[in-house]
Amino acid sequence: MLHKIFLRILLWGSTMLAVGLLLSTYLSHLNPGKYWITGFSGFFFPLLFPICLLLIPVLWWYKRKEQLLLCSIAVLCCIPAALVTWGVHIFSKNNIVKQPNSREFTLMTYNTSSMGLMAYKTDKDKEAAIYKVVSKNSPDILCMQEFYSNDKPDKEHHIDSLMQRGQYSYHFFTCDKTQWDTWFYGIALFSRYPIAAAAVIPCGESKVGSGSSFLQADLVLQGDTIRIFSVHLTSYMFKGEDYDNMKAPGGGGLVYKMRSTFQKRSAQALQLAALVAESPYPAIVCGDFNDTPVSFTYKTVSRNLQDVFLETGSGWGRTLSFLSPSLRIDYVLTQPSFRIHGSQVFPTHPSDHFPVMACLSLKKH
């Protein structure tokens, strides 16, 4: 009796999982700005793919031919999505240390969650962790999203502190939001290379500041000019009451907020992809996309670009410290004119996001 129940569960369960895997992969090709429900699809892929893969030998053992065929087809059809979810360079050389007397440079992207500021008080442990990882790895170019600095004498002037500690001669700050005249929020870029030009490109509205614009900067490296886009795409910005009001009508519901976020983020992705395509200089895109590799956002922005983690990394490449070990939402993407020598994600604790650093160089013409 129990054996029959198990086989029935295996039959229906494997069928539903295989169909779910296919939907999670291919619905993400649709623009959630038009079909908002598709915005949820990619979240489930990192769980469904390994389960379906593990089910294949079980189905073969129990001689469930139809389900075996369905699961096998689903897994094969979803291999391209798996290859943008997991890094497979387990044994290859991955070096983020610059070679002396070379044209290599390093770039780090880091969502700092307002430099540890919460409820207008700085978490000193988080703040110290940020400075420690930056000082230890000393990137030539440092891009920070959800950045905060304060001009008040008794507060944290992070712009000056980072320029001094990191030995950065140049910086640019979008300053998307100002509070009480001295509290500044936005996206910051610090560089040891000259900034030839920089611009704040509006991309929406955000109450927290970062997420209202893209930072665009042209840097001069050894006679060549490159363009960097540092971005923080719209996040859900959930609060405790959002979970309590999940079933609330109209704008109070959690699902409504997610739907609105999907629409805003898909529009930002299309805008960013167009800016990268129009760049007169070799371009790098970095920042917090707030979306997984199996998503419309990632597919749109990364088209014709190289993902530094996929080119050199292995495993999950997790960049968010909570919710799930599979969440890779912070990226460094480059146009093919760049050579990727290595990349690394630094599990920084305590920190909401983990920084991503890459060692790059421009290919010789």
Side-chain angles (χ1 to χ4, degrees), residues 144-187:
M144 290 182 151
Q145 303 83 37
E146 287 198 53
F147 183 76
Y148 152 77
S149 189
N150 203 316
D151 282 354
K152 201 171 181 181
D154 60 337
K155 295 295 182 180
E156 303 87 357
H157 201 300
H158 292 299
I159 290 179
D160 286 353
S161 297
L162 282 164
M163 290 190 72
Q164 182 178 2
R165 295 195 198 185
Q167 298 181 338
Y168 296 113
S169 302
Y170 311 93
H171 86 282
F172 183 72
F173 181 39
T174 61
C175 195
D176 295 316
K177 178 184 177 182
T178 302
Q179 268 188 318
W180 304 309
D181 296 327
T182 65
W183 301 61
F184 305 112
Y185 306 84
I187 301 175

Coordinates of all heavy atoms in Angstrom, one line a residue, residues 144-187:
M144 N 30.0 51.9 -5.4 CA 29.2 51.7 -4.2 C 27.8 52.1 -4.5 O 27.5 53.3 -4.8 CB 29.8 52.3 -3.0 CG 31.1 51.7 -2.5 SD 31.7 52.5 -1.0 CE 32.6 51.1 -0.2
Q145 N 26.8 51.2 -4.3 CA 25.4 51.5 -4.4 C 24.9 51.6 -3.0 O 25.4 51.1 -2.0 CB 24.6 50.5 -5.2 CG 25.2 50.2 -6.6 CD 26.4 49.3 -6.7 OE1 26.4 48.3 -5.9 NE2 27.3 49.6 -7.5
E146 N 23.7 52.3 -2.9 CA 23.1 52.6 -1.6 C 24.2 53.2 -0.7 O 24.4 52.7 0.5 CB 22.5 51.3 -0.9 CG 21.2 50.9 -1.6 CD 20.4 50.0 -0.7 OE1 20.1 50.3 0.5 OE2 20.0 48.9 -1.2
F147 N 24.9 54.2 -1.2 CA 26.0 54.8 -0.5 C 25.4 56.0 0.3 O 24.4 56.6 0.0 CB 27.0 55.3 -1.5 CG 28.2 56.0 -0.8 CD1 29.2 55.2 -0.3 CD2 28.4 57.3 -0.8 CE1 30.3 55.8 0.3 CE2 29.5 57.9 -0.2 CZ 30.4 57.1 0.3
Y148 N 26.1 56.2 1.5 CA 25.6 57.3 2.4 C 26.9 58.1 2.9 O 27.9 57.5 3.2 CB 24.9 56.7 3.5 CG 25.0 57.6 4.8 CD1 24.2 58.7 5.0 CD2 25.8 57.1 5.9 CE1 24.3 59.5 6.2 CE2 25.9 57.9 7.1 CZ 25.1 59.0 7.2 OH 25.2 59.8 8.3
S149 N 26.8 59.4 2.9 CA 27.8 60.2 3.5 C 27.2 61.4 4.2 O 26.0 61.8 3.9 CB 28.8 60.7 2.5 OG 29.9 61.3 3.0
N150 N 27.9 62.0 5.2 CA 27.3 63.1 5.9 C 28.3 64.2 6.2 O 29.5 63.9 6.5 CB 26.8 62.5 7.3 CG 25.8 63.4 7.9 OD1 25.9 64.6 7.9 ND2 24.7 62.8 8.5
D151 N 28.0 65.4 5.9 CA 28.9 66.6 6.0 C 28.9 67.1 7.5 O 29.7 68.0 7.8 CB 28.5 67.7 5.1 CG 28.9 67.4 3.7 OD1 29.7 66.4 3.5 OD2 28.6 68.2 2.8
K152 N 28.0 66.6 8.3 CA 28.0 67.2 9.7 C 29.2 66.7 10.4 O 29.7 65.6 10.3 CB 26.7 66.6 10.4 CG 26.3 67.4 11.6 CD 25.0 66.9 12.1 CE 24.5 67.8 13.3 NZ 23.2 67.3 13.8
P153 N 29.9 67.6 11.2 CA 31.2 67.3 11.8 C 31.2 66.1 12.7 O 32.2 65.4 12.8 CB 31.4 68.6 12.6 CG 30.7 69.7 11.9 CD 29.5 69.0 11.4
D154 N 30.0 65.8 13.4 CA 30.0 64.7 14.3 C 29.5 63.4 13.6 O 29.2 62.4 14.3 CB 29.2 65.0 15.5 CG 27.8 65.3 15.2 OD1 27.5 65.7 14.1 OD2 26.9 65.2 16.1
K155 N 29.3 63.4 12.3 CA 28.8 62.3 11.6 C 29.9 61.7 10.7 O 31.0 62.2 10.6 CB 27.6 62.7 10.8 CG 26.4 63.1 11.6 CD 25.8 61.9 12.4 CE 24.6 62.3 13.2 NZ 24.1 61.2 14.1
E156 N 29.5 60.7 9.9 CA 30.5 59.9 9.1 C 30.6 60.6 7.7 O 29.6 60.5 6.9 CB 30.1 58.5 8.9 CG 29.9 57.7 10.3 CD 28.5 57.9 10.9 OE1 27.7 58.6 10.3 OE2 28.3 57.3 12.0
H157 N 31.7 61.2 7.4 CA 32.0 61.7 6.0 C 32.7 60.6 5.2 O 33.9 60.6 5.1 CB 32.8 63.0 6.1 CG 32.7 63.8 4.9 ND1 33.0 63.4 3.6 CD2 32.2 65.1 4.7 CE1 32.8 64.3 2.7 NE2 32.3 65.4 3.4
H158 N 31.9 59.7 4.7 CA 32.5 58.5 4.1 C 33.2 58.8 2.8 O 34.1 58.1 2.4 CB 31.4 57.5 3.8 CG 30.8 56.8 5.1 ND1 31.6 56.1 5.9 CD2 29.6 56.8 5.6 CE1 30.9 55.7 6.9 NE2 29.6 56.1 6.8
I159 N 32.8 59.9 2.1 CA 33.5 60.2 0.8 C 35.0 60.5 1.1 O 35.9 60.0 0.5 CB 32.8 61.4 0.1 CG1 31.4 60.9 -0.4 CG2 33.7 61.9 -1.0 CD1 30.7 62.0 -1.1
D160 N 35.2 61.4 2.1 CA 36.6 61.8 2.4 C 37.3 60.6 3.0 O 38.5 60.4 2.7 CB 36.6 62.9 3.4 CG 36.2 64.3 2.8 OD1 36.1 64.3 1.6 OD2 36.0 65.2 3.6
S161 N 36.7 59.8 3.8 CA 37.3 58.7 4.5 C 37.8 57.6 3.5 O 38.9 57.1 3.5 CB 36.4 58.0 5.5 OG 36.1 58.9 6.5
L162 N 36.9 57.3 2.5 CA 37.3 56.3 1.5 C 38.4 56.8 0.5 O 39.2 56.1 0.1 CB 36.0 55.9 0.7 CG 35.1 54.9 1.5 CD1 33.7 54.9 0.8 CD2 35.7 53.5 1.5
M163 N 38.3 58.1 0.2 CA 39.3 58.6 -0.7 C 40.7 58.6 0.0 O 41.7 58.3 -0.7 CB 38.9 60.1 -1.1 CG 37.8 60.2 -2.0 SD 37.5 61.8 -2.8 CE 38.9 61.9 -3.9
Q164 N 40.7 58.9 1.3 CA 42.0 58.9 2.0 C 42.5 57.5 2.2 O 43.6 57.2 1.9 CB 41.8 59.6 3.3 CG 43.1 59.7 4.1 CD 42.9 60.4 5.5 OE1 41.8 60.8 5.8 NE2 43.9 60.6 6.2
R165 N 41.6 56.6 2.7 CA 42.1 55.2 3.0 C 42.4 54.4 1.8 O 43.3 53.6 1.7 CB 41.0 54.5 3.8 CG 40.8 55.1 5.2 CD 40.0 54.2 6.1 NE 39.4 54.8 7.2 CZ 38.7 54.2 8.2 NH1 38.6 52.9 8.1 NH2 38.2 54.9 9.2
G166 N 41.6 54.6 0.7 CA 41.8 53.9 -0.5 C 42.7 54.5 -1.5 O 43.0 54.0 -2.6
Q167 N 43.3 55.7 -1.1 CA 44.2 56.4 -2.0 C 43.6 56.7 -3.4 O 44.2 56.5 -4.4 CB 45.5 55.7 -2.1 CG 46.2 55.6 -0.8 CD 47.6 54.8 -0.9 OE1 47.8 54.1 -1.9 NE2 48.5 55.1 0.0
Y168 N 42.3 57.2 -3.3 CA 41.6 57.5 -4.6 C 41.7 59.0 -4.8 O 41.5 59.8 -3.9 CB 40.1 57.1 -4.5 CG 39.9 55.6 -4.3 CD1 39.4 55.1 -3.1 CD2 40.2 54.8 -5.3 CE1 39.2 53.8 -3.0 CE2 40.1 53.4 -5.2 CZ 39.5 52.9 -4.0 OH 39.4 51.5 -3.9
S169 N 42.2 59.4 -6.0 CA 42.3 60.8 -6.4 C 41.1 61.4 -7.0 O 40.9 62.6 -7.0 CB 43.5 60.9 -7.4 OG 44.7 60.4 -6.8
Y170 N 40.1 60.5 -7.4 CA 39.0 61.0 -8.1 C 37.7 60.3 -7.6 O 37.8 59.1 -7.2 CB 39.1 60.7 -9.6 CG 40.4 61.2 -10.2 CD1 41.5 60.3 -10.3 CD2 40.6 62.5 -10.6 CE1 42.7 60.7 -10.8 CE2 41.8 62.9 -11.2 CZ 42.9 62.0 -11.2 OH 44.1 62.4 -11.7
H171 N 36.6 61.0 -7.6 CA 35.3 60.4 -7.2 C 34.2 61.1 -7.9 O 34.3 62.2 -8.4 CB 35.2 60.4 -5.7 CG 34.6 61.6 -5.2 ND1 35.3 62.8 -5.0 CD2 33.3 61.9 -4.8 CE1 34.5 63.8 -4.6 NE2 33.3 63.3 -4.4
F172 N 33.0 60.4 -8.0 CA 31.8 61.0 -8.5 C 30.7 60.4 -7.7 O 30.6 59.2 -7.4 CB 31.6 60.7 -10.0 CG 30.4 61.4 -10.5 CD1 30.4 62.8 -10.7 CD2 29.3 60.7 -10.9 CE1 29.2 63.4 -11.2 CE2 28.1 61.3 -11.4 CZ 28.1 62.7 -11.6
F173 N 29.7 61.3 -7.3 CA 28.6 60.9 -6.4 C 27.3 61.4 -7.0 O 27.2 62.6 -7.4 CB 28.8 61.5 -5.0 CG 27.8 61.1 -4.0 CD1 27.2 59.8 -4.0 CD2 27.4 62.0 -3.1 CE1 26.2 59.5 -3.0 CE2 26.4 61.7 -2.1 CZ 25.8 60.5 -2.1
T174 N 26.3 60.5 -7.2 CA 25.0 60.9 -7.8 C 24.2 61.8 -6.9 O 23.4 62.6 -7.3 CB 24.2 59.7 -8.2 OG1 23.9 58.9 -7.1 CG2 24.9 58.9 -9.2
C175 N 24.3 61.6 -5.6 CA 23.6 62.4 -4.6 C 22.1 62.4 -4.9 O 21.5 63.5 -5.2 CB 24.2 63.8 -4.4 SG 23.6 64.6 -2.9
D176 N 21.5 61.3 -5.0 CA 20.1 61.2 -5.4 C 19.1 61.7 -4.3 O 17.9 62.0 -4.6 CB 19.7 59.7 -5.7 CG 20.5 59.2 -6.9 OD1 20.6 60.0 -7.9 OD2 21.0 58.1 -6.9
K177 N 19.5 61.8 -3.1 CA 18.6 62.2 -2.0 C 19.4 63.0 -1.0 O 20.5 62.6 -0.6 CB 17.9 61.0 -1.4 CG 17.0 61.3 -0.2 CD 16.4 60.1 0.4 CE 15.6 60.4 1.6 NZ 15.0 59.2 2.2
T178 N 18.9 64.1 -0.5 CA 19.5 64.8 0.6 C 18.5 65.0 1.7 O 17.3 65.3 1.5 CB 19.9 66.2 0.1 OG1 20.8 66.1 -1.0 CG2 20.6 67.0 1.2
Q179 N 18.9 64.8 3.0 CA 18.1 65.0 4.1 C 18.8 65.9 5.1 O 20.0 65.8 5.3 CB 17.8 63.7 4.9 CG 16.6 62.9 4.4 CD 16.3 61.7 5.3 OE1 17.2 61.0 5.7 NE2 15.0 61.6 5.6
W180 N 18.0 66.9 5.6 CA 18.5 67.8 6.7 C 19.9 68.5 6.2 O 20.7 68.7 7.0 CB 18.7 67.1 8.0 CG 17.5 66.4 8.5 CD1 16.2 67.0 8.6 CD2 17.3 65.0 8.9 NE1 15.3 66.0 9.0 CE2 15.9 64.8 9.2 CE3 18.2 64.0 9.0 CZ2 15.5 63.6 9.7 CZ3 17.7 62.7 9.4 CH2 16.4 62.6 9.7
D181 N 20.0 68.7 5.0 CA 21.1 69.5 4.4 C 22.5 68.8 4.4 O 23.3 69.1 3.6 CB 21.3 70.8 5.1 CG 20.1 71.7 4.9 OD1 19.4 71.7 3.8 OD2 19.7 72.5 5.8
T182 N 22.7 67.8 5.3 CA 24.0 67.2 5.4 C 24.0 65.7 5.2 O 25.1 65.1 5.1 CB 24.6 67.5 6.7 OG1 23.9 66.9 7.8 CG2 24.7 69.0 7.0
W183 N 22.8 65.1 5.1 CA 22.7 63.6 4.9 C 22.5 63.3 3.4 O 21.5 63.7 2.9 CB 21.6 63.0 5.7 CG 21.6 63.3 7.2 CD1 21.6 64.5 7.8 CD2 21.7 62.3 8.2 NE1 21.7 64.3 9.2 CE2 21.7 63.0 9.5 CE3 21.7 60.9 8.3 CZ2 21.8 62.4 10.7 CZ3 21.7 60.3 9.5 CH2 21.8 61.0 10.7
F184 N 23.5 62.6 2.8 CA 23.4 62.4 1.4 C 23.4 60.9 1.0 O 24.2 60.1 1.6 CB 24.7 63.0 0.7 CG 24.8 64.5 1.1 CD1 25.9 64.9 1.9 CD2 23.9 65.4 0.6 CE1 26.1 66.3 2.2 CE2 24.1 66.8 0.9 CZ 25.2 67.2 1.7
Y185 N 22.6 60.6 0.0 CA 22.4 59.2 -0.4 C 22.5 59.1 -1.9 O 22.0 59.9 -2.6 CB 21.0 58.6 0.1 CG 20.8 58.8 1.6 CD1 20.2 60.0 2.1 CD2 21.0 57.7 2.5 CE1 20.0 60.1 3.5 CE2 20.8 57.9 3.8 CZ 20.2 59.1 4.3 OH 20.0 59.2 5.7
G186 N 23.0 58.0 -2.4 CA 23.1 57.8 -3.8 C 24.1 56.7 -4.2 O 24.3 55.7 -3.5
I187 N 24.7 56.8 -5.4 CA 25.6 55.9 -5.9 C 27.0 56.6 -6.0 O 27.0 57.8 -6.5 CB 25.2 55.4 -7.3 CG1 23.9 54.7 -7.2 CG2 26.3 54.4 -7.8 CD1 23.3 54.2 -8.5

